[in-house]
Amino acid sequence: MNVWSFDFLWAFLLLPPLLYCLYKCKIAPNPRYFPHLHFFGAVGKWRNLEWLLKALAVTLMVGALATPVVVDLSDPRNRNGIDMVLALDGSGSMNASGFSNEDPRMSRFESVQKIASDFVMKRLEDNVGVVLFGDFAFIATPVTYEKEIIAEMIGYLNHGMAGQNTAIGEGIAQSVHALRDSKARSKVIILLSDGENNSGSISPKEAIKMVQRAGIKLYTIGIGKPGEFDNALLKQLAEDGGGKFYAATNQKELKAVYDEIDTLERSSIKSRQHTFFTHYYQWLLAAALMIIMLLMWRRRIRA
């Protein structure tokens, strides 16, 4: 993703008076110190081609002075350095309806898919991966910068793809595995579940030790009615993982949870000297010089 900007946007304030003077100002009677000032004199009307070329040259020079730059946000050097994994519960209970405020027939998993996809697309400067867990856990998408691919893959997932039960320990362990090659300054797992840990060969206690050894922060979200998920376990996991526990009884509350996490997990803005730009002022300046050379050539021919 490329973002266009100008280093000195205020330079465009010079353009109106310069163009006005170009059209109205008289040629200096004695061009002793500025022998080529006549190139910026008023000769003819607005529709005069020569005047338009002069105006274009002035505009290009002001644009070059403003220094246009492009920041490529897809360049790893311009990203803030958070690698994140969304661990989603895909057990059979996620097929329950009544969670959505918009459509009561929508299942919990469909609501989570929508909110998780929106969350991913907002993380412009981060790498994100997805883990789905049920009886077992698997990496649905590796940790990557390709947000469109991640959001699309989330849409392909279904509850029950990883089994009908809930292996929270497996989900955490697989999320740690997804972050094993991460060189980011900050690594985060956001685990969502609507049930209790009742499956898997890795216990939550073992999994949280993996999180701590890897220096990962763990957020946990319990969704559904009170008592449907293991409130105590998820709260303890978040506490041991240096994160925070949330509970959401409907889609609106879940969206608010993801919005809060989105706010909390923001790296400090990169300082200007650590942001990599591509400058394009030289192209504007070259175009302006070509127009001036053309005007000089035409004047020489007429002379």
Side-chain angles (χ1 to χ4, degrees), residues 5-303:
S5 182
F6 291 90
D7 279 346
F8 308 105
L9 192 60
W10 54 264
F12 284 106
L13 295 174
L14 301 173
L15 192 56
L18 284 174
L19 291 177
Y20 179 81
C21 186
L22 182 64
Y23 184 64
K24 286 289 187 181
C25 294
K26 300 290 185 181
I27 299 176
N30 185 12
R32 184 190 313 171
Y33 301 106
F34 303 96
H36 298 294
L37 190 62
H38 57 280
F39 284 121
F40 297 95
V43 288
K45 299 181 179 179
W46 283 91
R47 299 180 64 181
N48 181 276
L49 176 60
E50 186 172 350
W51 186 92
L52 291 176
L53 288 173
K54 294 175 184 178
L56 179 58
V58 171
T59 302
L60 289 171
M61 285 189 286
V62 171
L65 179 63
T67 314
V69 296
V70 172
V71 182
D72 183 3
L73 295 180
S74 65
D75 189 328
R77 298 174 299 178
N78 285 327
R79 300 208 291 272
N80 284 341
I82 293 181
D83 282 359
M84 182 176 293
V85 171
L86 306 183
L88 306 178
D89 188 340
S91 61
S93 58
M94 290 292 288
N95 190 37
S97 59
F99 186 73
S100 172
N101 305 89
E102 302 170 357
D103 184 358
R105 297 170 299 177
M106 185 182 293
S107 70
R108 291 177 182 174
F109 193 77
E110 289 171 329
S111 296
V112 170
Q113 283 177 303
K114 182 178 185 302
I115 295 172
S117 296
D118 292 342
F119 177 81
V120 167
M121 294 306 297
K122 289 193 298 184
R123 305 298 297 191
L124 295 178
E125 301 172 350
D126 304 318
N127 296 310
V128 183
V130 178
V131 166
L132 187 73
F133 64 93
D135 288 308
F136 60 93
F138 66 90
I139 299 174
T141 68
V143 177
T144 177
Y145 183 72
E146 300 297 334
K147 306 302 189 304
E148 292 80 5
I149 295 176
I150 301 168
E152 186 176 358
M153 183 56 70
I154 291 175
Y156 288 146
L157 298 177
N158 282 305
H159 61 86
M161 288 181 69
Q164 297 298 313
N165 294 306
T166 307
I168 292 177
E170 295 278 354
I172 296 174
Q174 197 64 256
S175 299
V176 173
H177 182 67
L179 290 166
R180 70 189 187 281
D181 296 324
S182 172
K183 300 297 190 297
R185 296 190 300 272
S186 180
K187 294 174 282 189
V188 174
I189 296 172
I190 304 174
L191 181 136
L192 177 145
S193 178
D194 74 338
E196 300 179 352
N197 184 71
N198 57 12
S199 185
S201 59
I202 300 176
S203 70
K205 187 175 181 180
E206 294 172 318
I208 198 64
K209 289 180 180 178
M210 298 170 63
V211 169
Q212 293 169 339
R213 287 196 297 267
I216 298 171
K217 185 184 293 185
L218 174 64
Y219 289 91
T220 59
I221 306 172
I223 68 169
K225 298 176 182 178
E228 289 185 330
F229 55 87
D230 194 334
N231 187 88
L233 174 63
L234 294 178
K235 188 174 182 179
Q236 187 63 51
L237 289 172
E239 183 178 326
D240 293 341
K244 188 176 179 180
F245 164 70
Y246 298 90
T249 59
N250 55 54
Q251 187 182 34
K252 184 178 180 180
E253 291 180 5
L254 180 60
K255 185 180 185 305
V257 168
Y258 273 105
D259 287 344
E260 180 174 334
I261 295 175
D262 180 60
T263 302
L264 291 174
E265 288 302 325
R266 287 288 178 185
S267 294
S268 57
I269 300 300
K270 279 182 174 288
S271 61
R272 189 175 186 82
Q273 59 266 32
H274 290 103
T275 303
F276 293 85
F277 297 97
T278 302
H279 292 85
Y280 288 92
Y281 67 89
Q282 64 272 22
W283 297 103
L284 300 182
L285 190 59
L289 290 175
M290 288 180 65
I291 293 173
I292 291 174
M293 290 175 64
L294 174 63
L295 291 172
M296 292 177 64
W297 176 76
R298 286 186 60 194
R299 189 167 292 272
R300 188 182 183 88
I301 292 297
R302 287 203 304 267

